[in-house]
Amino acid sequence: FSSSGINAEYGVRRWGGMISTPDNVLQGHIRRSLQDSGCPARLLNELMNYSHERKWPGGLNSLEMRQVNRVCYEQYVTRRVPGRQAVVVLFLENQHMDASFVRNPGMVLIFAHGID
């Protein structure tokens, strides 16, 4: 899987607009968009597994941690999920980040608003 199916680097304007507990319907929309972009099923399942705060790394897994670490998020290399207010944070593109901010093979971050 190359990231050619998902747009190159995207900026997130409002990290505070992050949806930390997306419901099954919203996760389904993101899943379909990633699938339509050519994401292999195995990677897709792993990425979607990490789309909820209970599975996020320590630097993201609570509101308090997200507020404390917000300045660090600007260092993420992100790729927009086509047609959605969501980005993929791939581990291989974010090895410069501390382990408390990444998951292998990656994770999906969903937003209410604020994707450039």
Side-chain angles (χ1 to χ4, degrees):
F1 170 68
S2 73
S3 52
S4 61
I6 52 179
N7 292 329
E9 231 181 295
Y10 256 83
V12 176
R13 284 179 296 160
R14 296 189 50 142
W15 286 98
M18 197 181 304
I19 298 173
S20 59
T21 57
D23 62 26
N24 290 336
V25 173
L26 182 54
Q27 287 182 11
H29 290 301
I30 302 299
R31 177 180 291 277
R32 277 188 295 284
S33 291
L34 285 171
Q35 189 173 28
D36 291 348
S37 74
C39 185
R42 182 176 176 197
L43 178 60
L44 175 62
N45 289 334
E46 290 187 65
L47 291 173
M48 292 309 300
N49 187 45
Y50 297 126
S51 65
H52 193 286
E53 74 177 357
R54 69 178 169 260
K55 296 284 184 101
W56 286 346
L60 294 170
N61 68 3
S62 71
L63 177 59
E64 295 79 21
M65 291 306 293
R66 288 190 296 277
Q67 289 173 335
V68 167
N69 293 318
R70 188 171 295 172
V71 68
C72 299
Y73 305 155
E74 294 173 6
Q75 298 174 37
Y76 276 131
V77 174
T78 61
R79 295 186 177 271
R80 186 166 188 182
V81 175
R84 302 291 171 191
Q85 287 287 307
V87 296
V88 173
V89 178
L90 295 170
F91 177 77
L92 290 175
E93 295 179 338
N94 285 282
Q95 292 182 14
H96 62 281
M97 298 293 289
D98 183 82
S100 64
F101 294 100
V102 291
R103 283 279 187 240
N104 192 2
M107 60 188 167
V108 174
L109 302 177
I110 305 169
F111 295 84
H113 48 73
I115 303 287
D116 283 337

PDB file of all heavy atoms in Angstrom, residues 5-34:
ATOM      1  N   GLY A   5      -3.197   6.743  -2.618  1.00  0.00           N
ATOM      2  CA  GLY A   5      -4.646   6.824  -2.610  1.00  0.00           C
ATOM      3  C   GLY A   5      -5.175   7.878  -1.669  1.00  0.00           C
ATOM      4  O   GLY A   5      -6.318   8.293  -1.771  1.00  0.00           O
ATOM      5  N   ILE A   6      -4.343   8.304  -0.739  1.00  0.00           N
ATOM      6  CA  ILE A   6      -4.773   9.369   0.168  1.00  0.00           C
ATOM      7  C   ILE A   6      -3.890  10.572  -0.083  1.00  0.00           C
ATOM      8  O   ILE A   6      -2.719  10.431  -0.407  1.00  0.00           O
ATOM      9  CB  ILE A   6      -4.746   8.922   1.648  1.00  0.00           C
ATOM     10  CG1 ILE A   6      -3.409   8.315   2.047  1.00  0.00           C
ATOM     11  CG2 ILE A   6      -5.862   7.953   1.923  1.00  0.00           C
ATOM     12  CD1 ILE A   6      -3.337   7.892   3.483  1.00  0.00           C
ATOM     13  N   ASN A   7      -4.488  11.717  -0.012  1.00  0.00           N
ATOM     14  CA  ASN A   7      -3.790  12.941  -0.391  1.00  0.00           C
ATOM     15  C   ASN A   7      -2.527  13.159   0.414  1.00  0.00           C
ATOM     16  O   ASN A   7      -2.430  12.771   1.568  1.00  0.00           O
ATOM     17  CB  ASN A   7      -4.719  14.141  -0.227  1.00  0.00           C
ATOM     18  CG  ASN A   7      -5.852  14.106  -1.224  1.00  0.00           C
ATOM     19  OD1 ASN A   7      -5.695  13.611  -2.327  1.00  0.00           O
ATOM     20  ND2 ASN A   7      -7.005  14.604  -0.830  1.00  0.00           N
ATOM     21  N   ALA A   8      -1.577  13.791  -0.245  1.00  0.00           N
ATOM     22  CA  ALA A   8      -0.315  14.112   0.404  1.00  0.00           C
ATOM     23  C   ALA A   8      -0.566  14.967   1.637  1.00  0.00           C
ATOM     24  O   ALA A   8      -1.681  15.370   1.913  1.00  0.00           O
ATOM     25  CB  ALA A   8       0.591  14.833  -0.582  1.00  0.00           C
ATOM     26  N   GLU A   9       0.477  15.242   2.306  1.00  0.00           N
ATOM     27  CA  GLU A   9       0.432  15.925   3.592  1.00  0.00           C
ATOM     28  C   GLU A   9      -0.654  16.987   3.689  1.00  0.00           C
ATOM     29  O   GLU A   9      -0.805  17.805   2.798  1.00  0.00           O
ATOM     30  CB  GLU A   9       1.784  16.598   3.825  1.00  0.00           C
ATOM     31  CG  GLU A   9       2.373  16.280   5.146  1.00  0.00           C
ATOM     32  CD  GLU A   9       3.684  16.976   5.343  1.00  0.00           C
ATOM     33  OE1 GLU A   9       4.625  16.668   4.615  1.00  0.00           O
ATOM     34  OE2 GLU A   9       3.742  17.817   6.250  1.00  0.00           O
ATOM     35  N   TYR A  10      -1.379  16.944   4.780  1.00  0.00           N
ATOM     36  CA  TYR A  10      -2.450  17.903   5.030  1.00  0.00           C
ATOM     37  C   TYR A  10      -2.241  18.547   6.380  1.00  0.00           C
ATOM     38  O   TYR A  10      -1.768  17.901   7.297  1.00  0.00           O
ATOM     39  CB  TYR A  10      -3.821  17.204   5.023  1.00  0.00           C
ATOM     40  CG  TYR A  10      -4.580  17.474   3.761  1.00  0.00           C
ATOM     41  CD1 TYR A  10      -4.338  16.742   2.623  1.00  0.00           C
ATOM     42  CD2 TYR A  10      -5.520  18.486   3.707  1.00  0.00           C
ATOM     43  CE1 TYR A  10      -5.022  16.996   1.454  1.00  0.00           C
ATOM     44  CE2 TYR A  10      -6.214  18.734   2.540  1.00  0.00           C
ATOM     45  CZ  TYR A  10      -5.954  17.990   1.423  1.00  0.00           C
ATOM     46  OH  TYR A  10      -6.620  18.247   0.268  1.00  0.00           O
ATOM     47  N   GLY A  11      -2.631  19.793   6.478  1.00  0.00           N
ATOM     48  CA  GLY A  11      -2.536  20.493   7.740  1.00  0.00           C
ATOM     49  C   GLY A  11      -3.845  20.435   8.508  1.00  0.00           C
ATOM     50  O   GLY A  11      -4.916  20.432   7.920  1.00  0.00           O
ATOM     51  N   VAL A  12      -3.727  20.362   9.790  1.00  0.00           N
ATOM     52  CA  VAL A  12      -4.890  20.384  10.666  1.00  0.00           C
ATOM     53  C   VAL A  12      -4.871  21.736  11.363  1.00  0.00           C
ATOM     54  O   VAL A  12      -3.913  22.073  12.044  1.00  0.00           O
ATOM     55  CB  VAL A  12      -4.835  19.231  11.694  1.00  0.00           C
ATOM     56  CG1 VAL A  12      -6.000  19.313  12.651  1.00  0.00           C
ATOM     57  CG2 VAL A  12      -4.798  17.890  10.991  1.00  0.00           C
ATOM     58  N   ARG A  13      -5.920  22.522  11.166  1.00  0.00           N
ATOM     59  CA  ARG A  13      -5.974  23.858  11.741  1.00  0.00           C
ATOM     60  C   ARG A  13      -6.421  23.848  13.196  1.00  0.00           C
ATOM     61  O   ARG A  13      -5.985  24.669  13.973  1.00  0.00           O
ATOM     62  CB  ARG A  13      -6.943  24.749  10.967  1.00  0.00           C
ATOM     63  CG  ARG A  13      -6.402  25.240   9.652  1.00  0.00           C
ATOM     64  CD  ARG A  13      -7.425  26.075   8.961  1.00  0.00           C
ATOM     65  NE  ARG A  13      -8.556  25.177   8.678  1.00  0.00           N
ATOM     66  CZ  ARG A  13      -9.785  25.571   8.418  1.00  0.00           C
ATOM     67  NH1 ARG A  13     -10.082  26.823   8.396  1.00  0.00           N
ATOM     68  NH2 ARG A  13     -10.734  24.693   8.173  1.00  0.00           N
ATOM     69  N   ARG A  14      -7.330  22.944  13.539  1.00  0.00           N
ATOM     70  CA  ARG A  14      -7.936  22.984  14.869  1.00  0.00           C
ATOM     71  C   ARG A  14      -7.879  21.602  15.513  1.00  0.00           C
ATOM     72  O   ARG A  14      -8.804  20.824  15.398  1.00  0.00           O
ATOM     73  CB  ARG A  14      -9.379  23.452  14.770  1.00  0.00           C
ATOM     74  CG  ARG A  14      -9.470  24.889  14.260  1.00  0.00           C
ATOM     75  CD  ARG A  14     -10.855  25.378  14.375  1.00  0.00           C
ATOM     76  NE  ARG A  14     -11.355  25.117  15.711  1.00  0.00           N
ATOM     77  CZ  ARG A  14     -12.123  25.916  16.391  1.00  0.00           C
ATOM     78  NH1 ARG A  14     -12.488  27.048  15.873  1.00  0.00           N
ATOM     79  NH2 ARG A  14     -12.552  25.599  17.590  1.00  0.00           N
ATOM     80  N   TRP A  15      -6.776  21.343  16.179  1.00  0.00           N
ATOM     81  CA  TRP A  15      -6.632  20.061  16.850  1.00  0.00           C
ATOM     82  C   TRP A  15      -7.685  19.881  17.928  1.00  0.00           C
ATOM     83  O   TRP A  15      -8.013  18.772  18.314  1.00  0.00           O
ATOM     84  CB  TRP A  15      -5.230  19.917  17.422  1.00  0.00           C
ATOM     85  CG  TRP A  15      -4.209  19.670  16.360  1.00  0.00           C
ATOM     86  CD1 TRP A  15      -3.388  20.594  15.776  1.00  0.00           C
ATOM     87  CD2 TRP A  15      -3.921  18.427  15.722  1.00  0.00           C
ATOM     88  NE1 TRP A  15      -2.610  19.997  14.820  1.00  0.00           N
ATOM     89  CE2 TRP A  15      -2.908  18.666  14.768  1.00  0.00           C
ATOM     90  CE3 TRP A  15      -4.419  17.129  15.859  1.00  0.00           C
ATOM     91  CZ2 TRP A  15      -2.390  17.653  13.967  1.00  0.00           C
ATOM     92  CZ3 TRP A  15      -3.899  16.127  15.065  1.00  0.00           C
ATOM     93  CH2 TRP A  15      -2.891  16.397  14.137  1.00  0.00           C
ATOM     94  N   GLY A  16      -8.264  20.972  18.411  1.00  0.00           N
ATOM     95  CA  GLY A  16      -9.316  20.878  19.420  1.00  0.00           C
ATOM     96  C   GLY A  16     -10.609  20.312  18.873  1.00  0.00           C
ATOM     97  O   GLY A  16     -11.486  19.927  19.628  1.00  0.00           O
ATOM     98  N   GLY A  17     -10.733  20.232  17.545  1.00  0.00           N
ATOM     99  CA  GLY A  17     -11.924  19.692  16.930  1.00  0.00           C
ATOM    100  C   GLY A  17     -11.879  18.177  16.758  1.00  0.00           C
ATOM    101  O   GLY A  17     -12.702  17.597  16.067  1.00  0.00           O
ATOM    102  N   MET A  18     -10.913  17.517  17.399  1.00  0.00           N
ATOM    103  CA  MET A  18     -10.734  16.081  17.274  1.00  0.00           C
ATOM    104  C   MET A  18     -11.902  15.332  17.917  1.00  0.00           C
ATOM    105  O   MET A  18     -12.330  15.671  19.016  1.00  0.00           O
ATOM    106  CB  MET A  18      -9.422  15.690  17.958  1.00  0.00           C
ATOM    107  CG  MET A  18      -8.897  14.330  17.586  1.00  0.00           C
ATOM    108  SD  MET A  18      -7.349  13.912  18.443  1.00  0.00           S
ATOM    109  CE  MET A  18      -6.257  15.254  18.007  1.00  0.00           C
ATOM    110  N   ILE A  19     -12.409  14.325  17.218  1.00  0.00           N
ATOM    111  CA  ILE A  19     -13.470  13.474  17.762  1.00  0.00           C
ATOM    112  C   ILE A  19     -12.789  12.253  18.357  1.00  0.00           C
ATOM    113  O   ILE A  19     -12.300  11.386  17.633  1.00  0.00           O
ATOM    114  CB  ILE A  19     -14.482  13.074  16.671  1.00  0.00           C
ATOM    115  CG1 ILE A  19     -15.150  14.329  16.108  1.00  0.00           C
ATOM    116  CG2 ILE A  19     -15.510  12.092  17.225  1.00  0.00           C
ATOM    117  CD1 ILE A  19     -16.045  14.069  14.916  1.00  0.00           C
ATOM    118  N   SER A  20     -12.758  12.186  19.671  1.00  0.00           N
ATOM    119  CA  SER A  20     -12.002  11.132  20.348  1.00  0.00           C
ATOM    120  C   SER A  20     -12.778   9.832  20.499  1.00  0.00           C
ATOM    121  O   SER A  20     -12.186   8.777  20.702  1.00  0.00           O
ATOM    122  CB  SER A  20     -11.540  11.620  21.717  1.00  0.00           C
ATOM    123  OG  SER A  20     -12.659  11.991  22.501  1.00  0.00           O
ATOM    124  N   THR A  21     -14.099   9.901  20.394  1.00  0.00           N
ATOM    125  CA  THR A  21     -14.924   8.697  20.546  1.00  0.00           C
ATOM    126  C   THR A  21     -15.934   8.613  19.400  1.00  0.00           C
ATOM    127  O   THR A  21     -17.140   8.739  19.601  1.00  0.00           O
ATOM    128  CB  THR A  21     -15.654   8.700  21.910  1.00  0.00           C
ATOM    129  OG1 THR A  21     -16.433   9.887  22.011  1.00  0.00           O
ATOM    130  CG2 THR A  21     -14.681   8.639  23.069  1.00  0.00           C
ATOM    131  N   PRO A  22     -15.440   8.385  18.173  1.00  0.00           N
ATOM    132  CA  PRO A  22     -16.348   8.320  17.024  1.00  0.00           C
ATOM    133  C   PRO A  22     -17.286   7.124  17.126  1.00  0.00           C
ATOM    134  O   PRO A  22     -16.879   6.045  17.560  1.00  0.00           O
ATOM    135  CB  PRO A  22     -15.398   8.172  15.837  1.00  0.00           C
ATOM    136  CG  PRO A  22     -14.167   7.554  16.409  1.00  0.00           C
ATOM    137  CD  PRO A  22     -14.058   8.092  17.803  1.00  0.00           C
ATOM    138  N   ASP A  23     -18.534   7.329  16.729  1.00  0.00           N
ATOM    139  CA  ASP A  23     -19.492   6.217  16.768  1.00  0.00           C
ATOM    140  C   ASP A  23     -19.278   5.305  15.566  1.00  0.00           C
ATOM    141  O   ASP A  23     -18.491   5.591  14.661  1.00  0.00           O
ATOM    142  CB  ASP A  23     -20.924   6.732  16.841  1.00  0.00           C
ATOM    143  CG  ASP A  23     -21.345   7.560  15.636  1.00  0.00           C
ATOM    144  OD1 ASP A  23     -20.785   7.376  14.537  1.00  0.00           O
ATOM    145  OD2 ASP A  23     -22.256   8.391  15.796  1.00  0.00           O
ATOM    146  N   ASN A  24     -19.974   4.175  15.568  1.00  0.00           N
ATOM    147  CA  ASN A  24     -19.802   3.174  14.515  1.00  0.00           C
ATOM    148  C   ASN A  24     -20.166   3.701  13.133  1.00  0.00           C
ATOM    149  O   ASN A  24     -19.544   3.315  12.136  1.00  0.00           O
ATOM    150  CB  ASN A  24     -20.623   1.924  14.832  1.00  0.00           C
ATOM    151  CG  ASN A  24     -20.054   1.161  16.005  1.00  0.00           C
ATOM    152  OD1 ASN A  24     -18.868   1.266  16.315  1.00  0.00           O
ATOM    153  ND2 ASN A  24     -20.896   0.398  16.677  1.00  0.00           N
ATOM    154  N   VAL A  25     -21.151   4.579  13.048  1.00  0.00           N
ATOM    155  CA  VAL A  25     -21.559   5.138  11.753  1.00  0.00           C
ATOM    156  C   VAL A  25     -20.431   5.992  11.176  1.00  0.00           C
ATOM    157  O   VAL A  25     -20.054   5.838  10.007  1.00  0.00           O
ATOM    158  CB  VAL A  25     -22.866   5.954  11.887  1.00  0.00           C
ATOM    159  CG1 VAL A  25     -23.186   6.680  10.594  1.00  0.00           C
ATOM    160  CG2 VAL A  25     -24.018   5.050  12.307  1.00  0.00           C
ATOM    161  N   LEU A  26     -19.874   6.872  11.988  1.00  0.00           N
ATOM    162  CA  LEU A  26     -18.780   7.727  11.529  1.00  0.00           C
ATOM    163  C   LEU A  26     -17.563   6.882  11.164  1.00  0.00           C
ATOM    164  O   LEU A  26     -16.934   7.101  10.124  1.00  0.00           O
ATOM    165  CB  LEU A  26     -18.425   8.751  12.610  1.00  0.00           C
ATOM    166  CG  LEU A  26     -17.324   9.751  12.279  1.00  0.00           C
ATOM    167  CD1 LEU A  26     -17.608  10.484  10.977  1.00  0.00           C
ATOM    168  CD2 LEU A  26     -17.145  10.726  13.431  1.00  0.00           C
ATOM    169  N   GLN A  27     -17.241   5.899  11.975  1.00  0.00           N
ATOM    170  CA  GLN A  27     -16.115   5.014  11.657  1.00  0.00           C
ATOM    171  C   GLN A  27     -16.372   4.278  10.336  1.00  0.00           C
ATOM    172  O   GLN A  27     -15.443   4.082   9.547  1.00  0.00           O
ATOM    173  CB  GLN A  27     -15.880   4.012  12.787  1.00  0.00           C
ATOM    174  CG  GLN A  27     -15.269   4.657  14.011  1.00  0.00           C
ATOM    175  CD  GLN A  27     -15.005   3.642  15.116  1.00  0.00           C
ATOM    176  OE1 GLN A  27     -15.092   2.434  14.920  1.00  0.00           O
ATOM    177  NE2 GLN A  27     -14.670   4.135  16.290  1.00  0.00           N
ATOM    178  N   GLY A  28     -17.611   3.905  10.088  1.00  0.00           N
ATOM    179  CA  GLY A  28     -17.961   3.233   8.838  1.00  0.00           C
ATOM    180  C   GLY A  28     -17.727   4.114   7.621  1.00  0.00           C
ATOM    181  O   GLY A  28     -17.245   3.644   6.584  1.00  0.00           O
ATOM    182  N   HIS A  29     -18.048   5.401   7.736  1.00  0.00           N
ATOM    183  CA  HIS A  29     -17.817   6.345   6.629  1.00  0.00           C
ATOM    184  C   HIS A  29     -16.318   6.469   6.334  1.00  0.00           C
ATOM    185  O   HIS A  29     -15.906   6.468   5.170  1.00  0.00           O
ATOM    186  CB  HIS A  29     -18.396   7.723   6.950  1.00  0.00           C
ATOM    187  CG  HIS A  29     -19.883   7.776   6.958  1.00  0.00           C
ATOM    188  ND1 HIS A  29     -20.665   7.451   5.873  1.00  0.00           N
ATOM    189  CD2 HIS A  29     -20.746   8.130   7.950  1.00  0.00           C
ATOM    190  CE1 HIS A  29     -21.940   7.598   6.184  1.00  0.00           C
ATOM    191  NE2 HIS A  29     -22.017   8.001   7.446  1.00  0.00           N
ATOM    192  N   ILE A  30     -15.528   6.589   7.399  1.00  0.00           N
ATOM    193  CA  ILE A  30     -14.073   6.709   7.230  1.00  0.00           C
ATOM    194  C   ILE A  30     -13.522   5.422   6.620  1.00  0.00           C
ATOM    195  O   ILE A  30     -12.709   5.453   5.695  1.00  0.00           O
ATOM    196  CB  ILE A  30     -13.384   7.004   8.580  1.00  0.00           C
ATOM    197  CG1 ILE A  30     -13.934   8.287   9.218  1.00  0.00           C
ATOM    198  CG2 ILE A  30     -11.874   7.055   8.409  1.00  0.00           C
ATOM    199  CD1 ILE A  30     -13.750   9.541   8.421  1.00  0.00           C
ATOM    200  N   ARG A  31     -13.980   4.284   7.117  1.00  0.00           N
ATOM    201  CA  ARG A  31     -13.540   2.977   6.617  1.00  0.00           C
ATOM    202  C   ARG A  31     -13.806   2.860   5.106  1.00  0.00           C
ATOM    203  O   ARG A  31     -12.936   2.451   4.333  1.00  0.00           O
ATOM    204  CB  ARG A  31     -14.252   1.860   7.374  1.00  0.00           C
ATOM    205  CG  ARG A  31     -13.918   0.458   6.875  1.00  0.00           C
ATOM    206  CD  ARG A  31     -14.660  -0.607   7.668  1.00  0.00           C
ATOM    207  NE  ARG A  31     -14.176  -0.686   9.028  1.00  0.00           N
ATOM    208  CZ  ARG A  31     -13.101  -1.383   9.400  1.00  0.00           C
ATOM    209  NH1 ARG A  31     -12.414  -2.049   8.496  1.00  0.00           N
ATOM    210  NH2 ARG A  31     -12.724  -1.407  10.661  1.00  0.00           N
ATOM    211  N   ARG A  32     -15.010   3.242   4.687  1.00  0.00           N
ATOM    212  CA  ARG A  32     -15.355   3.154   3.263  1.00  0.00           C
ATOM    213  C   ARG A  32     -14.477   4.075   2.414  1.00  0.00           C
ATOM    214  O   ARG A  32     -14.049   3.699   1.318  1.00  0.00           O
ATOM    215  CB  ARG A  32     -16.831   3.443   3.040  1.00  0.00           C
ATOM    216  CG  ARG A  32     -17.705   2.227   3.277  1.00  0.00           C
ATOM    217  CD  ARG A  32     -19.140   2.448   2.876  1.00  0.00           C
ATOM    218  NE  ARG A  32     -19.830   3.460   3.662  1.00  0.00           N
ATOM    219  CZ  ARG A  32     -20.278   3.278   4.912  1.00  0.00           C
ATOM    220  NH1 ARG A  32     -20.103   2.128   5.512  1.00  0.00           N
ATOM    221  NH2 ARG A  32     -20.909   4.243   5.540  1.00  0.00           N
ATOM    222  N   SER A  33     -14.221   5.266   2.905  1.00  0.00           N
ATOM    223  CA  SER A  33     -13.373   6.194   2.150  1.00  0.00           C
ATOM    224  C   SER A  33     -11.957   5.648   2.002  1.00  0.00           C
ATOM    225  O   SER A  33     -11.353   5.753   0.932  1.00  0.00           O
ATOM    226  CB  SER A  33     -13.335   7.557   2.835  1.00  0.00           C
ATOM    227  OG  SER A  33     -14.586   8.194   2.741  1.00  0.00           O
ATOM    228  N   LEU A  34     -11.421   5.072   3.069  1.00  0.00           N
ATOM    229  CA  LEU A  34     -10.084   4.480   2.984  1.00  0.00           C
ATOM    230  C   LEU A  34     -10.082   3.268   2.054  1.00  0.00           C
ATOM    231  O   LEU A  34      -9.161   3.090   1.254  1.00  0.00           O
ATOM    232  CB  LEU A  34      -9.583   4.088   4.377  1.00  0.00           C
ATOM    233  CG  LEU A  34      -9.122   5.240   5.256  1.00  0.00           C
ATOM    234  CD1 LEU A  34      -8.867   4.767   6.685  1.00  0.00           C
ATOM    235  CD2 LEU A  34      -7.872   5.894   4.680  1.00  0.00           C
TER     236      LEU A  34
END
